[in-house]
Amino acid sequence: MASAPIGSPSTVRSTVNGPAIVAWILVATTALLLSFGALVTTYDAAMAVPDWPATFGHNMFLYPLGEWFWGPWDLFLEHGHRLLGATVGMLSLLLAAILFRRPASPALRWLVIAAMVLVVVQGALGGLRVILDDKTVAKVHACTGPLFFAVATAIAVLAGRRGRGDSSGPATDRSDAVGRDSFVAVGPLTLSLPSWAVGASLPTALAVAAYLQLVAGAQLRHADATLAASTFRWMVAIHLAGAAVVTVLAALTVIAWQPHESRTARRWSLAILAMVGGQLLLGGGAWLFTWGLPAWLQEAWAPAEAILARSPRGAAVITGHVILGMMILGAAVVLALEWGGAERLEQIARTGIRGGGRRLHGPQARLVPGAVTVRPRSERGAR
Amino acid sequence: MNNNPADVRHPRGPRPVWGMKLLVLLVLLVMFAASGCGATPPAWFRLNMVEATKQKLTPEQERQVATVISAMFGTPDNPVALPETGLDEAKLRLAAGPVRSDIVGRKNGLYREHCAHCHGVTGDALGPTAAFLNPYPRDYRPGIFKFKSTERADKPTHADLTRVLKKGIPGTSMPSFALLSETQIDALVEYVKYLSIRGETEIGLIRAIFELDEEAEGKLPETREFLVGERLAEVVEKWKAADTALIDVPEMPADIDLVESIAKGRELFYGDKANCVKCHGPTALGDGQANDYDDWNKYVVEWTSKEVNGDADKQWVNRAHRVLDGDTLEPRTIQPRNLRRGIYRGGRRPLDLYYRIHAGINGAPMPGAKGTVPPEDIWHIVNYVQSLPYELDGELGADRPMVARDRF
């Protein structure tokens, strides 16, 4: 573990990294929260409780636990979603309190502020969805959720790095670790990677694409029954095209990260690709459970029984598709930040997006006074 | 030297301007998420634009039909069951409206939760997912249903529709709703009837405009006597008659020799009285006549090819094409069933097959054997059809595969 760099605002370091632990707890709770949210949509349970923020007139926290837990399934989901939401809100507050009492990097601070804003907005959206009984609000609510999850993950990564002293001093040279060797062997082929393909760019693009895919998926899941068939067809087409983009980006990331010095990073990129593969299967499964076999498949094989609507298996596949999508987003955020992107983010947070390490990976010198120095690739090779 | 505390906290540069950008980004993202959708519009019943355009209704006439029909049947959130319909309004209220489950043991909005995405809020089979389904979902408005225990032209019974909901339709996207409670299924069946009666009455009203005499000046009489006593009653009568239109099924002889019966059925299948072979093909793989349409698709095809394009009024032709684009799906031909796969949409009990063969399939080209084949002999055809997925010998020979899946 690196010792604290000289000049770091904090030289006292314990082995327990409090903020990182709280942040990861926040991430895990958010994952559970989003899973409940996805189930609420799958079972159309949003209107199981007519009021908000109260639950059947009770203060949300005082609603009898037994009645909730042993009550109807819809109520279990909706009220559970609310309880988890409140927990996530309080955890965010706690995290902010911890982080703002200690020295933290600007990027971390801005992310925490973003998380606070998002969690408040998200809670209000959830309330509006119920009070107005409006599906459009539900749609937006479903898109803000994963965004918050991504931000929470980013906070956890940055807080963890800070604990290890990775970002408290001048950014280390990790960002170009990926680019050090720009040749990749894929089977018998040797590929030369362009400069944009190394570093955090690909995982960042992957995270963005994964998020947009969640947005597109939410449009499908919340499609109003009055929507025109032609519009819906477009929405499906966009979601399918998005799936192709995410798959390609995940595969490219694996290729680009092959020469990476960190085994964890290489494995992490492979894990994302595997998750994307699983996601394609779940997506196919979700199609089957909602629309049955496409005609061209029916010719070859079809069960003699009709699909069972609302079966637990179907609900698990469809909801699992949403949850795995969120996991892919989180994993891409980790990959992007943990190995290269964090420095860039810090850079951006300090100097604004224009001065930020826009071309941190390019073979050029000195971006910002006092910040990272990147040498041309030729020089690096000679190292 | 610098003793400004702000600078101490941010020793590495100016205070970030990034915050504003973050906010802008957030707002943009939320806008993106909400793009393409204002506040959710309240659910509404769509006018049958295909029929209205086909009958060349003027905009005022369209408005009149819409007003009258909504006075008679209410809205998707507020259904009305006139006593003459014989429908149970309490059941309709359970099925109608937006989804809610805030009363313990009760879920409202069942139709929108389970059905509307395919069958549409109006029951016009124009739900958002409809285009993806093959076969397309059923349009209830013409009041034609395929799988039932009544004679071909008759309405299904309540029990028939209940069975479809419980069993689903194998080989299509229509799932089984066996996990719903009896009450819920009952409410949904009632609601399907409601939508069907509403749709058929609407078609009747649109067509009635053309039977008006001169002095009506193109306006429907808005009297209860005409609307309820004539137009609605005509439709409701048929639904009420369903229970007395049950197919009379003779007992299958208990001592029937199955081998002999199958042989007889086979003869009938290929013979020219029943002539099943014409459509289902000599191999029974469903590869006979394959260029026909079911009633719903035929309606669109015929209207497009004969009437629309042949019309002299170009303005109307343009309008008709717009309606066709927006309110119909690409017509598809119907495939006679591959009988070697053992998948029966209307149910696989021998009784179900008896109904199908006796009455044919309403709305599809499949004719009934009633009248050409004596009732008892229909059991032979049933037995033969049931043996088809397992038939191992016969004239097919090695070059004629037994089941469709062997072809691939």
Side-chain angles (χ1 to χ4, degrees), chain B residues 66-80:
Chain B
T67 315
V68 164
I69 202 85
S70 98
M72 292 168 80
F73 289 91
T75 64
D77 289 348
N78 250 324
V80 172

Side-chain angles (χ1 to χ4, degrees), chain A residues 6-379:
Chain A
I6 300 151
S8 159
S10 159
T11 43
V12 188
R13 195 176 309 285
S14 64
T15 42
V16 178
N17 181 356
I21 292 174
V22 176
W24 282 114
I25 292 177
L26 175 66
V27 171
T29 319
T30 306
L32 197 61
L33 167 68
L34 263 60
S35 305
F36 261 70
L39 278 170
V40 166
T41 303
T42 303
Y43 283 96
D44 232 323
M47 297 306 293
V49 179
D51 46 355
W52 185 90
T55 288
F56 289 107
H58 289 271
N59 175 314
M60 176 168 68
F61 301 103
L62 301 180
Y63 187 77
L65 269 184
E67 232 168 87
W68 163 61
F69 196 82
W70 303 113
W73 176 236
D74 280 12
L75 173 68
F76 172 75
L77 292 178
E78 171 62 16
H79 187 61
H81 184 57
R82 290 175 178 205
L83 289 177
L84 281 165
T87 312
V88 162
M90 288 184 298
L91 277 172
S92 310
L93 264 178
L94 177 69
L95 188 64
I98 296 178
L99 278 171
F100 273 85
R101 285 182 51 211
R102 300 181 182 201
S105 70
L108 200 47
R109 283 175 182 239
W110 279 115
L111 280 172
V112 172
I113 291 172
M116 299 292 295
V117 171
L118 277 172
V119 87
V120 170
V121 167
Q122 182 68 340
L125 282 172
L128 278 179
R129 190 263 174 264
V130 169
I131 292 169
L132 304 178
D133 189 4
D134 189 299
K135 284 211 160 191
T136 306
V137 179
K139 223 180 279 183
V140 180
H141 185 66
C143 299
T144 325
L147 191 59
F148 176 80
F149 180 73
V151 170
T153 311
I155 292 174
V157 173
L158 289 196
R161 292 169 61 81
R162 184 184 152 280
R164 296 199 300 270
D166 285 344
S167 64
S168 39
T172 53
D173 219 7
R174 289 170 68 125
S175 54
D176 69 348
V178 170
R180 200 170 49 196
D181 183 354
S182 56
F183 292 95
V184 186
V186 181
L189 292 174
T190 308
L191 300 178
S192 163
L193 296 176
S195 60
W196 55 262
V198 292
S201 318
L202 271 173
T204 306
L206 179 60
V208 171
Y211 176 68
L212 293 179
Q213 233 352 41
L214 280 160
V215 169
Q219 310 305 306
L220 293 182
R221 268 163 69 76
H222 294 269
D224 193 72
T226 51
L227 199 70
S230 51
T231 313
F232 190 78
R233 214 190 317 219
W234 272 109
M235 285 160 49
V236 172
I238 289 172
H239 194 54
L240 292 179
V245 170
V246 169
T247 310
V248 168
L249 282 175
L252 283 179
T253 307
V254 169
I255 295 174
W257 285 57
Q258 278 313 298
H260 200 286
E261 60 186 4
S262 156
R263 205 160 103 158
T264 323
R266 296 198 301 269
R267 292 201 167 163
W268 199 260
S269 71
L270 274 171
I272 294 181
L273 185 61
M275 278 154 79
V276 170
Q279 183 69 340
L280 293 177
L281 288 180
L282 281 180
W287 183 295
L288 286 193
F289 277 108
T290 27
W291 294 321
L293 287 167
W296 53 270
L297 244 173
Q298 273 179 30
E299 259 310 299
W301 174 83
E305 298 273 347
I307 314 159
L308 190 59
R310 291 298 149 109
S311 66
R313 216 175 348 151
V317 167
I318 294 167
T319 315
H321 189 54
V322 182
I323 296 172
L324 190 55
M326 167 191 79
M327 295 309 209
I328 291 172
L329 169 62
V333 167
V334 172
L335 187 67
L337 288 181
E338 188 67 72
W339 291 281
E343 285 81 4
R344 198 161 161 190
L345 199 62
E346 298 289 3
Q347 202 64 50
I348 291 169
R350 281 197 197 99
T351 57
I353 203 142
R354 211 160 307 159
R358 193 167 6 150
R359 296 177 58 197
L360 202 57
H361 308 292
Q364 78 196 117
R366 305 200 141 262
L367 289 153
V368 182
V372 71
T373 306
V374 180
R375 281 154 297 161
R377 184 156 290 142
S378 53
E379 246 179 74

Side-chain angles (χ1 to χ4, degrees), chain B residues 106-254:
Chain B
R106 194 162 117 191
K107 191 138 187 175
N108 281 88
L110 295 168
Y111 184 78
R112 241 170 275 172
E113 182 184 0
H114 299 292
C115 324
H117 285 107
C118 298
H119 291 286
V121 169
T122 315
D124 53 7
L126 288 176
T129 67
F132 283 101
L133 312 187
N134 192 359
Y136 289 135
R138 179 70 54 249
D139 173 0
Y140 313 136
R141 294 171 306 172
I144 299 172
F145 294 85
K146 284 183 174 177
F147 306 119
K148 54 203 180 63
S149 60
T150 54
E151 293 292 352
R152 185 177 182 113
D154 288 304
K155 300 289 179 204
T157 64
H158 197 85
D160 287 335
L161 292 178
T162 305
R163 204 181 144 73
V164 169
L165 256 71
K166 281 193 185 164
K167 295 279 173 190
I169 303 185
T172 75
S173 299
M174 171 75 184
S176 145
F177 290 96
L179 293 178
L180 301 194
S181 71
E182 292 287 335
T183 324
Q184 292 182 323
I185 291 191
D186 198 42
L188 283 172
V189 168
E190 194 78 357
Y191 197 72
V192 168
K193 285 200 216 168
Y194 160 80
L195 287 178
S196 182
I197 293 175
R198 185 192 168 281
E200 212 177 336
T201 307
E202 182 185 53
I203 293 175
L205 287 174
I206 292 173
R207 291 185 183 162
I209 288 186
F210 280 80
E211 290 145 24
L212 295 173
D213 40 30
E214 290 285 300
E215 57 199 84
E217 290 173 345
K219 239 171 140 311
L220 290 171
E222 292 186 5
T223 61
R224 195 177 174 88
E225 185 194 348
F226 170 74
L227 297 175
V228 179
E230 287 180 35
R231 298 269 69 95
L232 177 65
E234 190 184 67
V235 178
V236 172
E237 275 322 304
K238 292 188 274 182
W239 281 94
K240 289 196 171 147
D243 286 330
T244 57
L246 295 184
I247 294 171
D248 204 2
V249 183
E251 198 75 25
M252 187 182 345

Side-chain angles (χ1 to χ4, degrees), chain B residues 323-336:
Chain B
V323 169
L324 282 167
D325 285 345
D327 286 42
T328 65
L329 300 169
E330 190 64 38
R332 289 193 192 128
T333 54
I334 190 166
Q335 207 64 26

